[in-house]
Amino acid sequence: MSRTIIKTDDAPAAIGTYSQAVKCGNTVYLSGQIPLDPKTMTLVNATIEDEIHQVFKNLRAVATAAGGGLGDFAKLNVFLTDLGHFAKVNEIMATYFAEPYPARAAIGVASLPRGARVEADAVMVID
């Protein structure tokens, strides 16, 4: 099966040895996105809400570059340094996604790159 590397300037450039996404057949594996502004590569972190919105904006940009959208997500993983923000993730997620929602995991972690409080990755299936 062929692999296609997905890259867009509308999402932060990879800050390590990975691609923004990899498409294999009709499945797209999106790398984790932290709340970096794609133009400045600085953290958007005035509030946790700002961080969550930026993460979903970044995921949406990569999904669009791959030929899909947030509605095509089959699986979403959300990583939080404070699970006390879980309700806020649900609230904001509802503004980006509609039913049927993707399968999801929310995982508490000790730390994330660049001091971010939230990161998310996803698996998307496009027809």
Side-chain angles (χ1 to χ4, degrees):
M1 177 176 296
S2 68
R3 292 178 355 141
T4 302
I5 302 304
I6 307 300
K7 183 178 183 324
T8 178
D9 292 335
D10 294 330
I15 57 174
T17 53
Y18 62 91
S19 299
Q20 289 173 323
V22 177
K23 182 178 179 185
C24 299
N26 66 342
T27 303
V28 182
Y29 301 90
L30 289 84
S31 291
Q33 289 291 328
I34 60 173
L36 290 176
D37 177 295
K39 291 176 182 36
T40 64
M41 291 299 288
T42 59
L43 208 59
V44 176
N45 66 343
T47 66
I48 187 63
E49 291 86 356
D50 292 337
E51 289 196 37
I52 296 165
H53 279 290
Q54 191 63 49
V55 164
F56 286 128
K57 289 174 187 176
N58 291 344
L59 285 171
R60 181 174 56 202
V62 176
T64 299
L70 297 177
D72 297 307
F73 282 17
K75 178 73 164 100
L76 178 68
N77 295 310
V78 179
F79 305 92
L80 293 162
T81 58
D82 180 351
L83 285 173
H85 297 304
F86 182 72
K88 189 56 69 176
V89 168
N90 279 334
E91 177 186 322
I92 293 171
M93 185 176 165
T95 68
Y96 289 89
F97 292 84
E99 290 189 48
Y101 300 119
R104 184 186 73 189
I107 303 136
V109 297
S111 65
L112 290 167
R114 304 242 176 133
R117 292 175 279 186
V118 60
E119 179 174 358
D121 67 8
V123 176
M124 178 174 75
V125 179
I126 49 179
D127 296 325

